[in-house]
Amino acid sequence: MRFVFNKRPSVKSGAPILLFFSLLLAGCSAEKNTVASKAFHNLASHYNGYFYAKEEMDKIEIAYFKSMTDDYNRILRLYPKLDSTQSKPYEKEFQEVVKMASLAIQHHKNSKWVDDSYILIGKARLYALDWGNAIQTFKFVNTNSKDKDARHEAILNLVRTFTEHKEFNNARAAADFLQKAELTDAHKKQLLLEKAYLAQSQNDLDNMVRNLTEVAPMLRTKADRPGRIYFILGQTYQKLGFEAEAYNYYRKCLSTHPEYEVDFYARLYMAQVTEISQSKNINTARKSFKKLLKDTKNRDFKDKIYYEMGVFEYKQKNIEQSIAHHNSAIRIGNNKRVDGEAYLRLGEMYYDTRKYELSQAYYDSAVSSLPADYENLEGIKKRQLILDEFVKHLNTIRWQDSLLTLSTMDTAALRAHVSTIVKANLKKEDNSKKKKKANRVDIDQVSTNIFGSVESNEASDGSTWYFANASVVALGQSEFTRIWGNIPLEDNWRRSQRTITTNQSAAVTANTSESQTSEGEAPASVDPVGAAMAKIISELPDTEEKKQEAYKKIEDAYYFLGDIYSLQLAEPENAIETYETLLKRFPESDYTADVLYRLYILTKESNPEQATAIATLLKEKYPDSSWTKILLNPDYLTEAGKTAVRQQALYAVAYKQYQLAHYDSASLVLSQAHAAGISSFTPNLTLLQLMILGQKREVAAYKTGLEEFIRNYPENELKKFAEQLLNAAKQSSSANAEAPPLYELAAEAQHLYVMVYSPDPTLEQAFASSVADFNRKNFPTKVFAQSSETLNEEKKLYLVADFSNRSSAIDYIKLFNEKLSVMSTLKNYNFNNFVITQKNLETLKRTQALNEYLSFYTRHYQTESQ
């Protein structure tokens, strides 16, 4: 065969070829609707723009799933979390998806892949948190597409978008619409998963498990993630209390050979939910736990295994063994979440057994260990504060009663009694020191045995080594914090200057004597009996006046304990017992009328006869009391009057706490009083709260608050007192050297818009979506940068930048505040918002002086932004 190059064809022979290609190209126009045109554009769009957009979108979704950080202490998420932190690294990929899918739409308008390309654009906008455009894109496909499968696909993505955007009613409506349609098997499966995710987002476990149970038989491929779905079903059934069903789904999960971590937790939770009907079943479950402990692959999970063993033993009402296992979990592991949960469980168990000091110590440790996003962490912190206050009052009663008992002894008997106790304690310390060395040898031997396993008895409370006993460690940590505060780890920490309160005088004395002893030199011998005698005698109520003071402390402590039981812990039986003890020991107490009314309320439902007797006593003994008048005539007071009476009672409690310098507890009681409503007594509450700020040295907030109080209550009788406090504060400030202002006003500097809020992933996501929507609608030509930063453990910042000057920033926040009432995702949240220069923001982050900046903002910005 011979090829001839550069030979030009004749016009006659080339004409048919040119004509053929001309007709073909004409037939393939995007405006034509012929068979040839459709075939060409279907092929071109599918394997060009749409293909590349689909490949990119698949990569993004896979990356999102791989980046999921699972918390196996909670029910796992069905889908990855969408937030600004996750989406920011993929901005270029989102743009590429939109670009390629748009090419398929623009150049191949009559192809069957146009609807699918629009759906890809919608998904890219969904993952980019561009909620508004994502919703509009999916609605466009549903309205304009002639392909019912494409319409169904768009609505499924619409359900997901509404769910992520917290528009749950819209998501439910879209899902209900699809439920009535004739769907493909793939779409049926996807709908059930979307409905399950919608239920999970609302913490509706019943509907979540119902939808997942229905979809389970449809999970046939690896892409369906059957192992993960089965594991989530097991977790959900376990949470709902259906342990047999949970066990079955954990077994199904294992049959899919999931990744190792899921496999481990499935086996661990299977042992937890094993049906216990006979003692041999209990032993089987225990053997399962021990088998997991011995498996070397589970070395990093031993703390979690011990924790679950503790939970298992608690279910069997084996409290001592449960405590031992939880202590093992704390000592062995380094997972702060597991430690925190173990501390919390121990605190709850010790509380149930009325060992309140131990409970309080473990709650303190739990709060310091649990992560900020832990479920109901605020409730746990509240219980911790309550227990702190509770233990203080309990110790007051015990100590004052002990002192009163000791005050009846003569000096010789007192010294003999103290000597006996001190010598007994010294003997225990000597025995402990003798065993310490042996214990350390044993521990060293265990640590050198690389094949050894730690059994559950290793952390029993009977261990003589200090750090092997988690109970003692927790109490030690609590006591250290009480004396020294939360100080950083540093050299010569004892010498750091710090404020020392009166009740720490004993510790100060001990530390002073220690500092006077040079390093390596044995301290001078001290008579322990003499030291203990000196301390007791210094506090002994040896006069009638001192005895009355001691009795008054006990009386107040009982009243506060009853209030804590009744108002804060919601334990009416313990409250009744405490109030009755108060009346029995102090029948002429100043609190009697108040306590009798509370006892009447507490017993009215549970013991009507006792309530009637209490009411009779209250009417006879205190006929003119406000509590008696309320009892006789419930309509005696208006609602505001009732609120005032309740607030007065709480104010009395708060003021007692204020006098005792328990400012946080006083603030807590005042917050309850404010929550009762607004009354004529509200100014008293406000002023006491300001006095607490003054005692806590929050000077700027104190002065600003007093100025607002004087403006808000010009006719109130407390106004004069507030003015006196304000003048004293100003004189105190002027007496000191004038300090340079912390924040500076720079009207022409660039500003940022800031929202300050307590750490909450849901709220942060709400900020991201709401601010993006607001900016797009009101500033369509401007580009703002949105980000979040941590200010401290209690506060985070959401930032919008940049504004060229103070004026433009004020215009922005003014418009935002006007639109806030119609922002459904934000209007129910509490947060502070303001504008700030970059320099002042850096000062804020460095000094943490948020209240001072809010005062500065009020003076220099607030009037213009309202």
Side-chain angles (χ1 to χ4, degrees):
M1 182 179 291
R2 186 166 63 90
F3 293 93
V4 179
F5 296 97
N6 298 324
K7 185 177 179 180
R8 298 178 62 186
S10 65
V11 176
K12 185 176 180 182
S13 62
I17 298 173
L18 291 173
L19 181 62
F20 171 77
F21 280 109
S22 299
L23 291 172
L24 179 63
L25 290 174
C28 293
S29 168
E31 308 300 329
K32 297 283 185 178
N33 201 28
T34 62
V35 174
S37 177
K38 285 184 176 181
F40 171 78
H41 287 291
N42 285 338
L43 186 68
S45 63
H46 186 196
Y47 292 106
N48 283 285
Y50 172 79
F51 176 83
Y52 289 114
K54 181 75 165 58
E55 286 283 302
E56 200 65 46
M57 195 67 233
D58 288 345
K59 288 179 185 177
I60 293 170
E61 291 186 317
I62 291 170
Y64 265 67
F65 273 104
K66 285 184 177 179
S67 66
M68 287 176 70
T69 303
D70 290 323
D71 176 6
Y72 289 89
N73 299 295
R74 300 180 179 181
I75 296 174
L76 300 188
R77 294 178 61 90
L78 283 166
Y79 290 118
K81 184 178 181 180
L82 302 186
D83 58 29
S84 56
T85 305
Q86 182 85 332
S87 65
K88 196 165 186 178
Y90 296 97
E91 287 180 352
K92 290 183 179 178
E93 286 81 355
F94 296 143
Q95 293 172 6
E96 186 68 15
V97 171
V98 173
K99 175 184 174 183
M100 299 309 296
S102 298
L103 289 175
I105 295 169
Q106 293 169 4
H107 297 295
H108 309 286
K109 297 177 183 178
N110 62 347
S111 84
K112 66 180 182 181
W113 299 100
V114 169
D115 297 333
D116 301 271
S117 298
Y118 272 118
I119 290 172
L120 285 176
I121 291 173
K123 289 178 75 173
R125 287 169 172 169
L126 164 62
Y127 278 81
L129 308 184
D130 187 0
W131 312 111
N133 283 323
I135 290 169
Q136 291 303 319
T137 303
F138 295 134
K139 284 183 175 180
F140 175 83
V141 176
N142 180 50
T143 304
N144 295 280
S145 177
K146 297 178 182 179
D147 182 355
K148 69 174 184 179
D149 289 339
R151 294 198 301 272
H152 295 162
E153 181 76 19
I155 298 175
L156 284 168
N157 281 283
L158 199 56
V159 174
R160 175 82 186 282
T161 308
F162 282 137
T163 302
E164 294 290 354
H165 199 220
K166 309 299 180 189
E167 296 183 38
F168 298 128
N169 290 334
N170 288 337
R172 197 175 299 109
D176 290 343
F177 175 81
L178 269 186
Q179 192 75 40
K180 302 170 187 176
E182 185 178 344
L183 304 175
T184 63
D185 290 343
H187 284 165
K188 285 179 184 176
K189 177 171 62 180
Q190 189 62 30
L191 175 60
L192 290 169
L193 288 171
E194 295 296 348
K195 289 172 68 177
Y197 183 58
L198 170 62
Q200 184 180 37
S201 300
Q202 297 178 283
N203 199 30
D204 181 1
L205 298 185
D206 289 328
N207 277 317
M208 178 184 174
V209 80
R210 187 177 297 116
N211 286 290
L212 288 181
T213 304
E214 190 175 344
V215 82
M218 304 180 188
L219 306 174
R220 300 186 182 93
T221 67
K222 190 175 181 180
D224 292 331
R225 303 172 297 136
R228 184 181 182 86
I229 302 298
Y230 292 148
F231 184 81
I232 293 172
L233 269 166
Q235 285 184 300
T236 311
Y237 272 121
Q238 184 177 357
K239 181 104 176 192
L240 292 171
F242 299 99
E243 297 191 342
E245 287 296 325
Y247 183 87
N248 291 334
Y249 277 106
Y250 286 138
R251 287 191 64 181
K252 284 187 176 182
C253 171
L254 292 175
S255 69
T256 64
H257 307 292
E259 59 186 29
Y260 181 73
E261 198 166 5
V262 176
D263 182 284
F264 163 75
Y265 278 101
R267 294 181 189 277
L268 182 62
Y269 293 152
M270 273 179 68
Q272 187 67 264
V273 299
T274 300
E275 185 178 355
I276 303 298
S277 58
Q278 300 174 359
S279 59
K280 74 174 185 179
N281 290 337
I282 296 176
N283 291 331
T284 300
R286 287 173 178 157
K287 287 178 181 178
S288 298
F289 284 121
K290 288 182 179 180
K291 185 178 179 181
L292 288 169
L293 277 175
K294 290 178 181 178
D295 191 337
T296 56
K297 294 193 299 294
N298 298 335
R299 183 168 43 198
D300 294 336
F301 300 111
K302 279 190 175 182
D303 54 348
K304 182 63 177 176
I305 298 171
Y306 274 118
Y307 173 80
E308 293 298 333
M309 289 171 72
V311 174
F312 177 82
E313 294 297 344
Y314 180 78
K315 288 182 180 178
Q316 314 315 314
K317 304 190 183 305
N318 190 354
I319 304 301
E320 292 299 323
Q321 195 62 39
S322 176
I323 288 173
H325 287 321
H326 281 101
N327 280 325
S328 293
I330 292 167
R331 196 183 80 255
I332 289 170
N334 54 11
N335 185 324
K336 291 205 73 175
R337 179 182 285 273
V338 176
D339 286 351
E341 291 188 327
Y343 282 129
L344 181 60
R345 284 273 187 175
L346 286 165
E348 291 170 347
M349 285 188 281
Y350 281 123
Y351 181 85
D352 292 339
T353 54
R354 307 191 77 166
K355 296 180 181 178
Y356 299 115
E357 291 91 340
L358 277 173
S359 177
Q360 178 252 347
Y362 277 114
Y363 264 94
D364 282 349
S365 299
V367 167
S368 65
S369 300
L370 290 170
D373 63 344
Y374 189 78
E375 184 179 1
N376 193 34
L377 183 60
E378 287 304 315
I380 296 168
K381 286 182 177 179
K382 184 178 179 182
R383 172 63 68 99
Q384 175 215 7
L385 292 173
I386 292 170
L387 280 174
D388 286 348
E389 197 63 34
F390 185 93
V391 170
K392 285 178 186 176
H393 298 315
L394 201 62
N395 288 336
T396 296
I397 293 171
R398 290 174 179 172
W399 180 240
Q400 295 302 324
D401 274 336
S402 298
L403 289 175
L404 286 167
T405 302
L406 294 174
S407 69
T408 62
M409 299 180 180
D410 58 36
T411 305
L414 177 61
R415 187 172 187 85
H417 181 73
V418 172
S419 178
T420 302
I421 295 173
V422 170
K423 287 178 180 178
N425 287 336
L426 288 174
K427 187 176 181 180
K428 288 180 184 177
E429 290 178 8
D430 289 339
N431 291 336
S432 176
K433 288 176 182 177
K434 289 177 183 177
K435 293 180 180 178
K436 276 184 180 179
K437 187 174 181 181
N439 286 337
R440 288 189 180 120
V441 170
D442 291 339
I443 291 163
D444 290 339
Q445 289 172 349
V446 171
S447 64
T448 57
N449 179 6
I450 61 174
F451 300 104
S453 63
V454 184
E455 294 301 322
S456 62
N457 291 330
E458 288 177 345
S460 64
D461 288 336
S463 174
T464 56
W465 188 48
Y466 178 85
F467 289 104
N469 192 327
S471 302
V472 178
V473 172
L475 283 171
Q477 290 173 338
S478 177
E479 182 66 9
F480 183 91
T481 303
R482 182 183 70 78
I483 295 173
W484 295 101
N486 292 318
I487 63 174
L489 183 63
E490 59 187 6
D491 293 337
N492 302 319
W493 55 267
R494 278 197 184 89
R495 300 177 190 175
S496 300
Q497 293 183 353
R498 60 192 80 257
T499 302
I500 301 174
T501 58
T502 306
N503 65 349
Q504 296 168 357
S505 57
V508 173
T509 304
N511 290 331
T512 304
S513 63
E514 181 180 307
S515 65
Q516 291 171 351
T517 303
S518 60
E519 289 187 19
E521 181 184 342
S525 60
V526 177
D527 176 18
V529 177
M533 278 291 294
K535 176 175 174 56
I536 290 172
I537 289 174
S538 68
E539 298 187 35
L540 205 64
D542 51 4
T543 65
E544 190 60 33
E545 183 180 354
K546 289 182 179 179
K547 286 181 181 179
Q548 292 304 317
E549 289 178 3
Y551 280 123
K552 182 60 178 172
K553 290 178 181 178
I554 296 170
E555 179 187 350
D556 291 344
Y558 271 118
Y559 178 78
F560 294 143
L561 283 178
D563 269 7
I564 291 172
Y565 272 132
S566 175
L567 303 175
Q568 299 181 48
L569 296 177
E571 297 184 12
E573 293 180 1
N574 286 330
I576 291 170
E577 181 183 346
T578 305
Y579 284 140
E580 287 177 343
T581 303
L582 169 61
L583 294 180
K584 185 177 180 180
R585 291 194 61 176
F586 305 97
E588 301 301 322
S589 168
D590 295 336
Y591 300 113
T592 301
D594 186 355
V595 168
L596 285 173
Y597 182 79
R598 291 172 191 245
L599 282 171
Y600 169 77
I601 297 298
L602 289 168
T603 57
K604 187 166 59 173
E605 299 290 336
S606 59
N607 193 340
E609 292 181 4
Q610 184 183 1
T612 302
I614 291 169
T616 301
L617 180 61
L618 178 60
K619 288 183 283 188
E620 291 176 353
K621 198 169 182 180
Y622 301 96
D624 297 326
S625 166
S626 298
W627 302 107
T628 304
K629 293 176 181 178
I630 296 172
L631 180 69
L632 291 171
N633 179 16
D635 297 328
Y636 170 73
L637 298 173
T638 63
E639 287 300 319
K642 291 178 183 178
T643 299
V645 170
R646 181 73 189 126
Q647 288 177 335
Q648 287 171 17
L650 290 170
Y651 179 90
V653 176
Y655 191 75
K656 288 281 185 183
Q657 298 299 305
Y658 172 82
Q659 289 178 313
L660 295 170
H662 300 159
Y663 302 125
D664 290 338
S665 299
S667 294
L668 184 64
V669 177
L670 285 174
S671 66
Q672 293 178 341
H674 277 296
I678 298 175
S679 73
S680 58
F681 199 75
T682 300
N684 300 63
L685 305 177
T686 304
L687 190 57
L688 181 56
Q689 187 68 63
L690 291 172
M691 291 165 66
I692 291 172
L693 290 178
Q695 292 296 329
K696 293 171 76 173
R697 301 290 188 268
E698 296 183 18
V699 179
Y702 176 59
K703 289 182 181 178
T704 303
L706 287 172
E707 290 169 351
E708 290 179 359
F709 183 94
I710 294 167
R711 285 198 305 270
N712 294 337
Y713 303 106
E715 304 298 326
N716 193 279
E717 59 185 5
L718 293 173
K719 177 189 174 185
K720 187 175 181 180
F721 180 55
E723 289 174 339
Q724 293 173 355
L725 293 176
L726 181 60
N727 290 333
K730 289 179 178 178
Q731 290 172 6
S732 175
S733 298
S734 60
N736 298 324
E738 188 68 28
L742 190 59
Y743 297 104
E744 299 177 3
L745 182 64
E748 298 306 317
Q750 284 192 331
H751 281 64
L752 300 91
Y753 170 70
V754 180
M755 292 183 277
V756 184
Y757 60 100
S758 299
D760 182 350
T762 304
L763 181 54
E764 186 172 325
Q765 189 172 338
F767 282 148
S769 59
S770 298
V771 171
D773 287 345
F774 173 79
N775 291 341
R776 186 174 56 256
K777 292 176 182 177
N778 297 282
F779 301 93
T781 61
K782 294 185 178 180
V783 178
F784 296 102
Q786 297 175 219
S787 61
S788 62
E789 294 183 10
T790 299
L791 180 62
N792 51 46
E793 290 184 357
E794 298 180 353
K795 295 293 181 185
K796 291 193 72 174
L797 308 176
Y798 195 86
L799 310 172
V800 180
D802 285 314
F803 299 94
S804 58
N805 53 36
R806 174 172 172 267
S807 177
S808 60
I810 288 176
D811 290 342
Y812 183 91
I813 191 174
K814 184 176 181 181
L815 181 60
F816 190 93
N817 289 338
E818 289 174 359
K819 302 286 187 180
L820 187 59
S821 61
V822 296
M823 295 183 189
S824 58
T825 55
L826 288 186
K827 64 182 180 181
N828 294 324
Y829 287 106
N830 292 322
F831 58 90
N832 289 317
N833 64 342
F834 50 80
V835 295
I836 189 170
T837 63
Q838 184 64 46
K839 184 176 180 181
N840 283 342
L841 178 61
E842 291 171 0
T843 302
L844 172 62
K845 290 191 288 187
R846 186 182 70 255
T847 63
Q848 303 286 301
L850 178 59
N851 288 333
E852 284 76 0
Y853 184 76
L854 292 175
S855 300
F856 173 85
Y857 177 75
T858 301
R859 292 194 303 273
H860 296 288
Y861 291 85
Q862 191 79 59
T863 54
E864 295 184 42
S865 62
Q866 289 179 340

